[in-house]
Amino acid sequence: MNDMTITYPRRKVIRTILRQLIRVAFQVLSDFSIEGRENLPKEGPLLVIGNHFSFLDPVAVIGSVPYPIEYLGGLRMPNAPQSVIWLAKLYGFLPVRRGSISRDTLYASRAVLQSKGVLGIFPEAGNWTSVLRPARPGAAYLASSTRAKILPVGLDGLTDLFPTLKRGKRARITVRFGKPFGPFFVSERGETDRNRLEEIGHEMMREIALLLPSEKRGFYSDDPAVREFAAMQAVYPWDGKPEE
């Protein structure tokens, strides 16, 4: 795959059907609400970013946006049931090999944004804990190298869905869209200035933090105790051992 072969949008029929089914499922299984619809741009290029606490996060975003959104997803989904893994394959996520450079996926992602498309990514690059952590450099690189606007989304309550259903109740799930921001520019020398990418990553996460309850803001909380706990959770599980 490279930026000359991917087209946007793809899989129009199946993705439209899946988006409608997802919306119905969330309405039936939970107390599901979407806030900030007025912040949704009419068109791309747009990079949609959000917190990643649950394997259901991308499903909730797909069901909440009006766009034929492309989504980046981990090659492996260790915390997701087979039904969600099957759904990801059917939808056609762009696969990311965590802990390494997925060049084909990077080219495809840039091609989506250069085609004025909409691309979803979780800057934290994994859902191993339930508080905000610092971003990995991938989302910042895509934002700066394509000059796409960025749409932040806060996802709350998804980790409660199945435990609450087991008790015979419906979890309260909120998808909250913030105001778009960016685009970002790094330097004339290229988009690989690590310090600048780190700054952009922090800005992304701060915008997401504003859309979450205070106790979920983790590394970006005003509470020192919450920040300290988040710092202990921030170690990236795939450093030094990329997914196979």
Side-chain angles (χ1 to χ4, degrees):
M1 181 187 298
N2 57 52
D3 54 354
M4 297 300 293
T5 59
I6 191 171
T7 57
Y8 178 88
R10 302 183 296 140
R11 304 190 180 196
K12 296 180 185 178
V13 174
I14 188 62
R15 288 181 173 182
T16 298
I17 294 172
L18 287 174
R19 187 161 59 247
Q20 295 300 327
L21 291 175
I22 288 168
R23 289 173 180 171
V24 171
F26 274 118
Q27 293 291 347
V28 170
L29 298 176
S30 68
D31 180 4
F32 187 73
S33 63
I34 302 173
E35 300 178 6
R37 282 191 176 96
E38 68 278 6
N39 293 322
L40 294 170
K42 293 182 179 180
E43 60 184 5
L46 187 66
L47 189 65
V48 181
I49 61 169
N51 56 293
H52 199 10
F53 300 162
S54 167
F55 58 81
L56 290 171
D57 294 335
V59 182
V61 175
I62 288 169
S64 301
V65 298
Y67 320 112
I69 187 172
E70 288 284 352
Y71 235 109
L72 289 166
L75 185 65
R76 309 292 181 209
M77 300 181 185
N79 300 318
Q82 285 299 316
S83 58
V84 172
I85 295 173
W86 172 83
L87 180 63
K89 291 181 179 178
L90 184 62
Y91 189 86
F93 278 29
L94 297 175
V96 175
R97 193 180 301 274
R98 296 185 182 96
S100 64
I101 299 175
S102 304
R103 296 189 184 278
D104 288 348
T105 300
L106 176 61
Y107 295 147
S109 300
R110 292 182 62 169
V112 169
L113 295 171
Q114 288 166 354
S115 299
K116 296 186 178 181
V118 180
L119 179 71
I121 185 173
F122 295 112
E124 296 159 294
N127 63 323
W128 65 92
T129 188
S130 58
V131 293
L132 280 187
R133 293 139 279 149
R136 302 291 292 176
Y141 175 78
L142 281 173
S144 63
S145 63
T146 61
R147 313 290 175 83
K149 294 283 286 185
I150 303 166
L151 178 70
V153 55
L155 304 163
D156 187 37
L158 287 156
T159 55
D160 299 328
L161 178 61
F162 292 120
T164 305
L165 282 174
K166 288 180 180 179
R167 298 196 299 269
K169 298 181 179 180
R170 299 164 79 233
R172 180 173 179 77
I173 295 174
T174 305
V175 176
R176 187 175 293 111
F177 293 104
K179 293 183 179 180
F181 63 100
F184 289 104
F185 176 71
V186 175
S187 73
E188 293 291 350
R189 294 173 296 177
E191 302 87 12
T192 56
D193 184 317
R194 184 69 183 229
N195 290 333
R196 178 60 180 139
L197 292 180
E198 187 173 318
E199 291 173 6
I200 294 171
H202 285 311
E203 184 163 347
M204 286 179 166
M205 301 311 296
R206 283 191 289 267
E207 291 291 335
I208 295 170
L210 294 174
L211 304 172
L212 294 173
S214 58
E215 68 273 12
K216 300 290 183 67
R217 294 175 182 175
F219 198 80
Y220 301 91
S221 172
D222 293 331
D223 186 332
V226 175
R227 289 201 304 271
E228 183 179 357
F229 173 77
M232 292 188 293
Q233 305 297 313
V235 177
Y236 191 57
W238 295 276
D239 270 339
K241 48 179 180 179
E243 287 185 327
E244 297 181 357

